[in-house]
């Protein structure tokens, strides 16, 4: 986050909060550009000051808002799918004088609490995605050709190597605590100690020193890897880009991420395979993932590209999650359903299980992994409804396991009046689900465990029936579902459950669900989404940050914040 | 799915006006529950073996005769499910949903509270059957034995009514609760009934009349508040139950009438208050039984100041007695009320938000209603030329629940020391000696038209039948 010397204006009024669209493409970027030279891409952050997503602030000093982050997210997807041959990615600034001043402070000070929280969550997800790319052979290198402050430095921290120009004035810093009274909350505090292994006393000095450190000291304290003199800069950056190249297939041919086909109505979003319907009265959204027939041949994926069902479903689901999360704050419960033959889902399962040596299959798998992780950190009650005609098998079973609860119909709907499947599907065979290899590590959660391991934490998974269709009763016995009511009970059980859920405190639910979803080991990721985010969100609602006399509001007014001095 | 269990012919076996024959969900639930109920009735229901009993069976809710009288073998009694007639325009009369249409389904938000209220009410119904299990063996007349069994089968039907609600509206959780209603038993060490008063035994007929006068009257008031509920099926169920409850209280009121009348006769005949030797129950003993049953029944209303009651009211799931006849805003959000309190050794009152005072409000209505019986009995005494009067003890006397729990208050409302209270307790509450005397009078009288020594005969029979009608047949 950043240092700007203009007064902060009023909270962004509701009518000024836009309906956020995550669609973009390189020809539409306002804040980023990139070049690809053989196996190295160079990504330039070059923020358009007047290009803020919401009126009321200027994105000075390469500071960013959600719009800038949406483009970065799109850019990472392009590099993954359209430029698979790229092995190293240099992240640098398109401005002469500084790298990035972080999240725009006027934007932050003027934003509602949910907006701040959603913005930070999405930013965190993109940062984690950058690390996921490096692990997959597209290594990110931060080439800080000027000062990187706050969120700017946090962006660098997501890279595997940080080069800082040694010009006696450029520095890296985390000024949030001393200047703004909040935290470097998009991974900053965590990555400094977890990833860069900076000693905690030094981390403490660094995070309270608004101007930060540059040059030799920054290297000595491990805040950056190298401080490079101006005249050496281009050469060293190019050398590092060469040395740090990851492992990618030489003959990889990218596929185009064509625009998503999507129609939107007031209470519905419809894609080719994913349908969302919103019941505003009940405050629920129903997400139906329809899985069409597909082959397990990777050639089909290359041939169809973005139109291939597995990739298309993943893109649609990702987009739907982001839209609901950002634009539908009061829709507190999501019902997740699937539709299609179990055999279709199992074809996708085989494609994934047997062809990880194919870069596109592997990339699609990682994309689905990240999308499922979005569900894990979504602050909504997630309920899987497993009904006849569904295909919760293999990769698609992960959707159910990501949910807070799973309800599976035992048997079929016997009477037409009860057979109001939210999916609208007509089905005469009982629902079955299938546990496959996909539940055993293909899609780890942020805690490093599979969702199945998390579900049965500390217990043996030997008895979980694999590769066999399980009915409601079987799945209930195996502990894979919360309950398996039959058709007589189904309608009432689900209705009462949803009404009861809707009556509970949204905040308490968010906290409860976030705690239940992540068992076991802490990782850098869980610490960012758990500890760092929870503290940041607490600080965001405290008067010391957001009150009229708080540091966020007073910043840049020339007046000091008036703190409530009680330590809590 | 197929079931090996034989199907029950529902409409024939279970008189109802809830379209049982057309409700698969309910049928399945009842198919499983009904055999368990019959087992329970066999194990815990009336212990006297009879051939048949002249009983009233609810067969409809209509104005022209909802009840059918006939001699019925007890185990063939047709327990039915009835809701009072549906009013399509009914709206919620109180709380934050006031004016909205009543709910025909359980609102998920109030599922837990509604289920709890129904379970607590439902738990009392079979409890009283269990408490009265052995009374039939010492009935003072066939008329009384018949009344006892009538009360018992109707309490059984009230259990059915609550089970119907649990089965029809609360899904699997409701079915589990319905099973538990049969698994808890009055006085059981392992799984007692929920409310204390329903774990006391009903060892003799004086206790039975007292129970039906005082404790069933608590039931009347609880049902009356549930009748106001915004959950329409509960409201309609309770409204119909109240018709039957009226008969239970009639049994209590007239039973005590007859005991008092007989005691007065004996007092005059033998010209003494000490009628025990003449096979009667002295007035002082009757007063002690009143003291006991009245005060344990007062406890059933819970704490004077109750956030639960306030929440139920605001939610629209449990109202006040005769809610619609009250002329206030029916929301009470800003009103104040008073509750009884005991502070620094003094009986006093606290001002609290009116919403928190609803239990006190209901208890107050109940107390006023109880007074009518006392007037009746004192009139009997007066007509017999006897000076003594029966009375209701002070609300703080002998209380285990609420503001006066732990206080030592005499029946006339004086605060005394614990030792003082204990020393005088035998003058106020039935002693072992009193109970032994009452029990010693309990001999069955099985000849039609004959009556035990300690009680006067009823003035009229049941359903226009003569008093000496053969209300019960034996094998
Ligand atoms: Fe009853
Ligand atoms: Fe009763």
């Amino acid at each position: 986050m950043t240092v700007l010397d203009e007064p902060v204006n009023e909270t962004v009024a509701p009518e000024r909060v836009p309906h956020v669209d995550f669609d973009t493409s390189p020809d539409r970027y306002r804040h980023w550009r990139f070049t690809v030279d053989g196996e190295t891409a160079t990504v330039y952050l070059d923020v358009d000051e007047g290009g803020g997503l919401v009126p009321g602030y200027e994105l000075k000093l390469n500071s960013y808002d959600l719009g800038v982050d949406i483009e970065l997210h799109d850019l990472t997807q392009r590099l993954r799918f359209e430029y698979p041959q790229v092995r190293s990615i240099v992240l640098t600034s398109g401005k002469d004088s500084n790298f990035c001043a972080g999240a725009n402070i006027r934007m932050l000070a003027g934003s509602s609490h949910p907006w701040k929280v959603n913005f930070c969550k999405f930013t965190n997800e993109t940062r984690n995605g950058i690390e996921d790319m490096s692990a997959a052979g597209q290594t990110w290198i931060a080439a800080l050709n000027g000062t990187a402050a706050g969120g700017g430095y946090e962006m660098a921290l997501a890279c595997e190597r940080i080069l800082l120009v040694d010009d006696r004035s450029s520095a890296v810093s985390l000024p949030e605590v001393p200047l703004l009274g909040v935290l470097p909350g998009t991974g900053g505090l965590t990555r400094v100690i977890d990833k860069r292994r900076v000693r905690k006393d030094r981390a403490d000095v660094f995070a309270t020193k608004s101007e930060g450190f540059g040059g030799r000291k920054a290297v000595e304290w491990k805040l950056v890897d190298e401080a490079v003199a101006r005249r050496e800069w281009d050469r060293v950056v190019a050398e590092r880009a060469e040395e740090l190249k990851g492992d990618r297939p030489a003959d990889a041919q990218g596929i185009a991420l064509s625009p998503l086909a999507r129609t939107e109505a007031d209470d519905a979003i419809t894609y080719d395979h994913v349908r969302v319907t919103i019941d505003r009265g009940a405050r629920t959204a129903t997400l139906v993932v329809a899985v069409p027939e597909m082959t397990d041949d990777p050639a089909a994926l290359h041939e169809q590209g973005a139109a291939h069902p597995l990739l298309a479903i993943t893109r649609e689901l990702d987009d739907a999650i982001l839209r609901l999360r950002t634009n539908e704050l009061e829709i507190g419960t999501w019902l997740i359903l699937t539709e299609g033959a179990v055999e279709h889902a199992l074809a996708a399962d085989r494609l994934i299980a047997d062809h990880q040596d194919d870069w596109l299959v592997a990339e699609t798998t990682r994309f689905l992994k990240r999308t499922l992780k979005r569900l894990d950190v979504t602050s909504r009650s997630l309920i899987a409804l497993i009904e006849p005609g569904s295909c919760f098998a293999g990769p698609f079973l992960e959707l159910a396991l990501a949910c807070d609860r799973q309800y599976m119909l035992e048997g079929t709907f016997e009477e037409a009046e009860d057979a109001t499947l939210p999916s609208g599907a007509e089905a005469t065979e009982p629902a079955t689900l299938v546990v496959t290899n996909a539940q055993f590590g293909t899609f780890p959660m942020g805690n490093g465990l599979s969702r199945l391991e998390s579900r049965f934490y500390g217990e043996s998974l030997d008895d979980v029936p694999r590769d066999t269709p399980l009915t409601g009763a079987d799945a209930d016995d195996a502990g894979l579902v919360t309950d398996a009511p039959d058709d007589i009970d189904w309608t009432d059980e689900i209705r009462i459950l949803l009404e009861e859920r809707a009556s509970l405190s949204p905040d308490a639910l968010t906290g409860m669900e976030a705690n239940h979803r992540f068992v076991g080991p802490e990782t850098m990721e869980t610490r960012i989404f758990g500890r760092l985010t929870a503290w940041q969100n607490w600080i965001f609602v405290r008067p010391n940050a957001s009150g009229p006399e708080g540091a966020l509001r007073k910043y840049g007014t020339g007046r000091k914040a008036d703190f409530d001095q009680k330590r809590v | 799915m197929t079931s090996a269990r034989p199907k029950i012919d529902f409409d024939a076996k279970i008189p109802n006006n809830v379209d049982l024959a057309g409700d698969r969900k309910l049928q399945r639930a009842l198919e499983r529950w009904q055999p368990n109920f019959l087992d329970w009735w066999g194990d815990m229901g009336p212990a006297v073996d009879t051939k048949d009993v002249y009983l009233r069976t609810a067969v409809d809710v209509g104005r022209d005769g909802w009840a059918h009288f006939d001699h019925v073998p007890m185990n063939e009694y047709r327990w039915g499910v009835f809701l009072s007639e549906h009013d399509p325009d009914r709206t919620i009369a109180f709380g934050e949903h006031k004016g909205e249409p009543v709910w025909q389904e359980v609102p998920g938000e109030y599922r837990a509270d509604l289920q709890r209220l129904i379970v607590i009410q439902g738990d009392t119904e079979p409890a009283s059957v269990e408490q009265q299990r052995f009374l039939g063996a010492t009935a003072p007349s066939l008329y009384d034995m018949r009344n006892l069994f009538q009360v018992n089968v109707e309490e059984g039907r009230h259990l059915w009514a609550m089970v119907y609600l649990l089965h029809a509206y609360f899904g699997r959780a409701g079915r589990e609760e319905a099973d538990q209603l049969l698994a808890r038993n009055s006085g059981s060490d392992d799984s007692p009934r929920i409310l204390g008063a329903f774990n006391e035994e009903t060892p003799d007929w004086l206790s039975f009349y007292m129970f039906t006068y005082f404790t069933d009257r608590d039931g009347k008031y609880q049902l009356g508040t549930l009748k106001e509920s915004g959950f329409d099926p509960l409201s309609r169920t309770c409204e119909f139950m109240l018709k039957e409850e009226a008969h239970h209280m009639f049994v209590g009121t007239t039973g005590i009438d007859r005991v008092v009348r007989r005691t007065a006769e004996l007092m005059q005949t033998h010209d003494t208050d000490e009628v025990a030797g003449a096979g009667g129950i002295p007035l002082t003993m009757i007063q002690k039984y009143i003291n006991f049953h009245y005060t344990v029944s007062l406890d059933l209303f819970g704490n004077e100041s109750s956030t639960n009651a306030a929440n139920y009211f605001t939610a629209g799931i449990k109202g006040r007695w005769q809610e619609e006849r009250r002329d206030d805003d029916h929301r009470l959000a800003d009103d104040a009320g008073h509750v009884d309190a005991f502070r620094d050794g003094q009986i006093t009152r606290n001002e609290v938000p009116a919403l928190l005072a609803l239990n006190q409000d209901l208890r107050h209505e109940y107390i006023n209603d109880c007074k009518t019986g006392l007037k009746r009995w004192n009139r009997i005494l007066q007509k017999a030329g006897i000076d003594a009067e029966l009375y209701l003890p002070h609300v703080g006397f002998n209380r285990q629940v609420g503001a006066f729990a732990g206080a030592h208050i005499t029946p006339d409302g004086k605060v005394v020391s614990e030792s003082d209270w204990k020393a005088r307790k035998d003058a106020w509450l039935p002693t072992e000696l009193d109970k032994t005397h009452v029990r010693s009078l309990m001999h069955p009288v099985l000849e039609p038209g004959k009556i035990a020594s300690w009680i006067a005969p009823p003035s009229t029979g049941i359903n226009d039948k003569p008093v000496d009608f053969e209300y019960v047949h034996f094998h």
Side-chain angles (χ1 to χ4, degrees):
Chain A
M1 297 171 204
T2 189
V3 182
L4 282 181
D5 47 9
E6 282 164 69
V8 160
N9 65 352
E10 290 307 294
T11 299
V12 177
E15 64 270 21
R16 290 168 58 205
V17 174
H19 180 87
V20 179
D21 191 339
F22 294 83
D23 295 342
T24 186
S25 54
D27 54 312
R28 291 164 59 193
Y29 291 170
R30 298 184 69 172
H31 310 297
W32 296 89
R33 55 196 158 82
F34 67 95
T35 59
V36 177
D37 179 11
E39 294 174 338
T40 296
T42 305
V43 172
Y44 299 92
L45 174 61
D46 195 357
V47 176
D48 173 357
E49 282 190 12
L53 199 58
V54 182
Y57 52 83
E58 288 187 339
L59 295 172
K60 293 197 169 175
L61 293 169
N62 246 11
S63 64
Y64 62 84
D65 68 354
L66 180 59
V68 176
D69 256 7
I70 287 171
E71 290 184 5
L72 174 61
H73 172 247
D74 183 77
L75 188 153
T76 61
Q77 289 290 72
R78 305 277 164 194
L79 289 171
R80 287 179 176 113
F81 285 95
E82 299 185 350
Y83 300 92
Q85 78 281 9
V86 165
R87 296 165 176 237
S88 61
I89 299 162
V90 175
L91 169 65
T92 192
S93 163
K95 312 279 187 210
D96 292 336
S97 53
N98 84 319
F99 174 72
C100 171
N104 186 279
I105 182 61
R106 282 187 62 186
M107 176 277 293
L108 269 186
S111 299
S112 69
H113 183 70
W115 182 271
K116 288 198 281 274
V117 171
N118 266 322
F119 165 63
C120 290
K121 184 175 287 175
F122 180 72
T123 301
N124 269 324
E125 288 171 326
T126 308
R127 304 274 192 279
N128 290 342
I130 285 173
E131 286 173 335
D132 194 37
M133 285 174 87
S134 293
Q138 295 188 314
T139 313
W140 283 72
I141 300 151
L144 308 180
N145 51 339
T147 287
Y153 178 55
E154 288 179 305
M155 209 183 299
L157 285 168
C159 299
E160 296 314 295
R161 186 69 66 97
I162 304 177
L163 311 184
L164 173 64
V165 67
D166 188 3
D167 57 3
R168 307 278 158 184
S169 64
S170 293
V172 294
S173 66
L174 292 177
E176 284 86 345
V177 172
L179 294 188
L180 307 173
V182 297
L183 303 181
T186 44
L189 292 183
T190 313
R191 285 195 173 89
V192 165
I193 54 171
D194 268 44
K195 183 176 180 182
R196 301 206 57 91
R197 312 281 167 98
V198 175
R199 247 170 42 203
K200 78 162 186 181
D201 55 337
R202 286 178 166 175
D204 187 282
V205 172
F206 176 60
T208 51
K209 188 175 171 63
S210 59
E211 69 274 31
F213 294 112
R216 273 212 343 257
K217 181 100 175 224
V219 176
E220 192 188 320
W221 283 31
K222 300 197 282 193
L223 299 166
V224 304
D225 296 290
E226 293 176 67
V228 182
R230 263 183 181 281
R231 63 195 138 73
E232 302 286 316
W233 181 250
D234 290 344
R235 181 183 59 78
V236 173
V237 169
E239 272 176 25
R240 297 297 171 264
E242 189 60 30
E243 288 162 21
L244 292 167
K245 276 181 181 170
D247 190 17
R248 298 292 288 186
D251 57 347
Q253 282 288 319
I255 57 145
L257 294 180
S258 49
L260 280 177
R262 178 187 56 234
T263 53
E264 284 182 87
D266 284 348
D267 297 327
I269 312 173
T270 312
Y271 307 83
D272 287 342
H273 308 290
V274 174
R275 302 192 303 274
V276 179
T277 48
I278 293 174
D279 180 341
R280 296 193 187 279
R283 298 202 305 279
T284 60
T286 303
L287 278 91
V288 181
V289 177
V291 181
E293 191 170 0
M294 65 183 100
T295 79
D296 52 14
D297 181 357
L301 180 54
H302 286 274
E303 201 175 296
Q304 296 170 37
H308 186 275
L310 183 58
L311 182 51
I313 286 171
T314 308
R315 288 183 79 198
E316 292 170 8
L317 191 59
D318 200 54
D319 192 63
I321 292 169
L322 289 172
R323 279 166 188 273
L324 286 176
R325 229 160 63 170
T326 313
N327 298 329
E328 297 291 352
L329 300 179
E330 294 190 8
I331 306 305
T333 301
W334 295 359
L335 304 174
I336 297 189
L337 292 87
T338 56
E339 190 179 286
V342 168
E343 182 44 44
H344 301 167
L346 291 176
D349 186 60
R350 289 190 299 275
L351 177 63
I352 290 168
D354 300 342
H355 300 285
Q356 284 301 306
D357 52 351
D358 181 291
W359 77 266
L360 184 52
V361 174
E363 203 58 77
T364 306
T365 307
R366 281 193 293 273
F367 185 15
L368 181 53
K369 173 190 73 176
R370 292 190 303 274
T371 301
L372 290 164
K373 282 186 179 185
R374 279 206 210 281
L375 276 182
D376 294 334
V377 297
T378 290
S379 54
R380 302 292 190 281
S381 298
L382 305 178
I383 313 275
L385 298 181
I386 307 173
E387 301 179 338
S390 68
C391 55
F392 285 97
F396 297 100
L397 179 58
E398 288 297 299
L399 289 171
L401 294 174
C403 288
D404 299 298
R405 299 194 199 177
Q406 301 76 23
Y407 290 86
M408 183 163 180
L409 182 79
E410 167 64 15
T412 55
F413 291 108
E414 282 177 28
E415 284 178 3
E417 64 189 275
D418 291 335
T420 46
L421 291 186
S423 62
E426 265 184 56
T428 49
E429 292 299 308
T432 56
L433 57 79
V434 187
V435 176
T436 72
N437 214 29
Q439 274 66 60
F440 291 82
T442 312
F443 302 102
M445 300 174 60
N447 58 9
L449 306 180
S450 70
R451 288 178 186 77
L452 201 64
E453 277 181 284
S454 292
R455 186 179 187 87
F456 298 115
Y457 185 60
E459 293 173 25
S460 161
L461 301 182
D462 294 349
D463 292 339
V464 177
R466 288 171 77 158
D467 300 316
T468 175
L470 304 176
T471 64
D474 301 336
D476 198 14
D477 283 347
L480 292 165
V481 296
T482 311
D483 200 357
D486 63 17
D487 74 311
I488 295 179
D489 282 336
W490 180 263
T491 313
D492 270 353
E493 295 282 338
I494 303 301
R495 179 186 62 78
I496 289 177
L497 152 75
L498 296 178
E499 288 183 11
E500 212 164 18
R501 196 77 173 182
S503 72
L504 304 178
S505 156
D507 297 335
L509 285 177
T510 296
M512 179 190 80
E513 291 154 0
N515 275 280
H516 287 161
R517 287 176 196 172
F518 293 93
V519 296
E522 286 277 21
T523 62
M524 190 170 78
E525 217 170 298
T526 62
R527 277 169 31 80
I528 288 170
F529 281 118
R531 189 174 311 191
L532 181 61
T533 300
W535 281 113
Q536 176 78 314
N537 292 350
W538 177 72
I539 292 166
F540 274 157
V541 295
R542 294 276 298 160
N544 282 343
S546 301
E549 303 299 317
L552 261 185
R553 292 300 202 83
K554 282 286 176 259
Y555 181 74
T557 62
R559 283 182 293 136
K560 269 179 59 182
D562 185 11
F563 290 134
D564 173 352
Q565 291 297 346
K566 284 190 284 298
R567 293 289 286 255
V568 180
Chain B
M1 279 187 310
T2 54
S3 160
R5 225 176 282 126
K7 294 275 183 219
I8 298 171
D9 178 358
F10 283 97
D11 283 348
K13 278 258 169 76
I14 306 172
N16 70 86
N17 68 345
V18 295
D19 185 25
L20 199 46
D23 189 335
R24 269 188 329 132
K25 177 170 65 177
L26 203 51
Q27 283 175 20
R28 186 186 57 178
L30 287 177
E31 266 169 36
R32 211 185 58 174
W33 189 80
Q34 198 230 24
N36 295 339
F37 170 81
L38 291 176
D39 287 349
W40 169 83
W41 181 261
D43 293 344
M44 306 301 289
V48 172
D49 189 28
T50 53
K51 181 156 163 273
D52 54 32
V53 182
Y54 189 69
L55 292 174
R56 170 176 78 173
T57 304
V59 292
D60 199 359
V61 295
R63 199 168 264 279
D64 29 68
W66 55 271
H68 173 79
F69 285 86
D70 206 353
H71 277 99
V72 196
M74 290 279 278
N75 56 2
E76 287 174 27
Y77 188 79
R78 298 190 307 148
W79 285 280
V81 177
F82 290 100
L83 274 58
S84 67
E85 267 156 297
H86 178 58
D87 170 7
D89 299 324
R90 189 173 167 246
T91 56
I92 299 170
F94 58 94
E96 64 182 7
H97 298 290
K98 183 176 179 309
E100 296 173 19
V102 290
W103 309 302
Q104 299 304 332
E105 294 284 349
V106 173
E109 181 174 3
Y110 306 130
R111 183 201 60 80
D113 284 342
L114 276 167
Q115 185 174 303
R116 181 79 188 146
L117 285 170
I118 291 168
V119 164
I120 290 177
Q121 180 63 38
D123 195 65
T124 66
E125 311 290 355
S128 61
V129 176
E130 293 165 355
Q131 291 171 293
Q132 297 158 12
R133 172 164 163 69
F134 296 106
L135 281 180
T138 56
S141 69
L142 290 186
Y143 165 91
D144 286 284
M145 187 188 284
R146 177 266 162 209
N147 280 349
L148 167 70
F149 292 159
Q150 183 71 54
V151 170
N152 289 164
V153 292
E154 282 174 354
E155 298 302 6
R157 204 202 67 74
H158 292 176
L159 170 62
W160 274 79
M162 294 295 119
V163 165
Y164 158 73
L165 292 173
L166 291 171
H167 280 174
Y169 296 99
F170 293 86
R172 183 172 299 197
R175 289 203 298 276
E176 283 163 12
E177 288 291 2
D179 292 343
Q180 295 306 314
L181 289 175
L182 296 175
R184 283 185 293 268
N185 292 133
S186 178
S188 158
D189 287 337
D190 291 336
S191 50
R193 291 293 172 185
I194 296 170
L195 299 174
F198 291 89
N199 287 304
E200 306 275 349
E201 58 175 339
T202 310
D204 57 64
W205 280 78
L206 182 57
S207 299
F208 173 63
Y209 298 134
M210 292 289 172
F211 183 94
T212 44
Y213 186 83
F214 288 108
T215 307
D216 269 319
R217 194 170 306 271
D218 158 72
K220 167 186 166 183
Y221 280 82
Q222 298 301 338
L223 291 174
T225 58
L226 295 175
K227 181 180 84 104
E228 303 294 335
S229 180
F231 176 44
D232 203 38
L234 174 61
S235 164
R236 294 168 58 206
T237 299
C238 292
E239 187 171 347
F240 188 73
M241 287 164 74
L242 279 166
K243 296 187 184 187
E244 292 159 320
E245 212 60 63
H247 174 261
H248 307 177
M249 285 175 296
F250 161 83
V251 169
T253 311
T254 57
I256 301 174
D257 280 358
R258 290 158 54 209
V259 176
V260 170
R261 180 168 293 124
R262 179 62 179 158
T263 298
E265 275 171 26
L266 290 171
M267 285 168 76
Q268 283 181 321
T269 311
H270 298 277
D271 193 23
T272 173
D273 294 350
E274 283 309 319
V275 297
I281 305 174
L283 278 184
T284 50
M285 227 178 265
I286 295 174
Q287 181 64 53
K288 289 187 198 180
Y289 273 69
I290 290 174
N291 290 352
F292 175 75
H293 285 275
Y294 173 63
T295 54
V296 298
S297 299
L298 286 177
D299 279 346
L300 290 172
F301 291 85
N303 275 311
E304 280 74 8
S305 162
S306 162
T307 51
N308 274 346
N311 290 340
Y312 296 156
F313 184 85
T314 301
I317 62 180
K318 186 181 181 194
R320 286 171 295 174
W321 179 251
Q322 297 193 324
E323 182 67 46
E324 278 158 89
R325 291 202 202 161
R326 299 187 182 222
D327 51 355
D328 52 31
D329 73 352
H330 302 278
R331 294 179 195 269
L332 308 181
D334 306 315
D335 300 351
H338 286 90
V339 293
D340 291 333
F342 188 75
R343 218 175 25 244
D344 305 327
Q346 300 259 295
I347 297 168
T348 171
R349 287 159 83 75
N350 285 341
E351 186 173 316
V352 296
L355 279 173
L356 292 181
L358 294 177
N359 280 352
Q360 165 107 6
D361 178 86
L362 191 62
R363 185 183 285 119
H364 177 75
E365 297 284 345
Y366 168 81
I367 291 171
N368 282 339
D369 195 15
C370 286
K371 287 177 185 162
T372 58
L374 275 297
K375 275 196 202 128
R376 263 179 98 106
W377 305 324
N378 285 332
R379 206 157 40 230
I380 291 170
L381 292 173
Q382 207 184 351
K383 277 192 182 158
I386 292 168
D387 280 347
E389 283 202 343
L390 296 166
Y391 58 88
L392 287 179
H394 185 269
V395 69
F397 170 69
N398 190 40
R399 295 291 304 281
Q400 316 297 324
V401 173
F404 299 114
H408 295 94
I409 297 170
T410 64
D412 56 355
K414 294 202 176 61
V415 180
V416 297
S417 71
E418 183 176 355
S419 55
D420 199 3
W421 196 90
K422 283 189 172 152
R424 296 163 68 189
K425 170 174 173 275
D426 285 355
W428 301 327
L429 292 169
T431 63
E432 276 315 308
L433 228 60
D434 298 331
K435 292 179 194 171
T436 307
H437 171 69
V438 172
R439 262 200 307 271
S440 75
L441 301 175
M442 299 294 126
H443 297 295
V445 176
L446 302 178
E447 209 177 316
K450 290 274 160 24
I451 192 86
S453 68
W454 55 274
I455 186 167
S459 48
T460 54
I462 294 295
N463 194 33
D464 296 333
K465 297 290 179 211
V467 171
D468 61 358
F469 183 65
E470 216 172 323
Y471 288 104
V472 181
H473 294 138
F474 297 93
H475 285 294

